[in-house]
Amino acid sequence: MFARLSTYQGSPVPPEGDLTEKSEAIVQLVQDLPGFRGAFYLVERETGKARSLTLWEDEATMRASEERAAEIRAEAAQREGQRVVLVEHFEVAFSKLAP
């Protein structure tokens, strides 16, 4: 499995409020891409710093999704008043989620 980690910076996010609806809308755009395996959205509300982590079946499918992912990332960042700071790629060496 491989992962793309995108870092964003924007305005602080209000402490109240659920971000699920906005995040789900973005995932809807990505989840049908071949090789997609999951996503996490991490936010530091006080500073406006955020990260998205998308998981891919293998490096080939991750790389094949680059163009569309970049479009989605740019559109979402602009809509939310953020800027994309960094995009990194990793091999997932280990993962474990509680049942």
Side-chain angles (χ1 to χ4, degrees), residues 31-70:
Q31 70 183 6
D32 291 332
L33 295 174
F36 176 80
R37 291 293 171 255
F40 292 89
Y41 183 64
L42 313 168
V43 63
E44 189 176 86
R45 290 177 185 258
E46 293 175 358
T47 66
K49 187 174 186 177
R51 289 196 169 103
S52 64
L53 178 75
T54 54
L55 301 171
W56 301 90
E57 181 177 319
D58 53 35
E59 186 175 17
T61 57
M62 180 184 66
R63 298 288 179 190
S65 72
E66 286 296 332
E67 186 175 328
R68 181 64 182 131

Side-chain angles (χ1 to χ4, degrees), residues 24-37:
E24 284 289 338
I26 295 168
V27 170
Q28 290 291 323
L29 299 172
V30 180
Q31 70 183 6
D32 291 332
L33 295 174
F36 176 80
R37 291 293 171 255

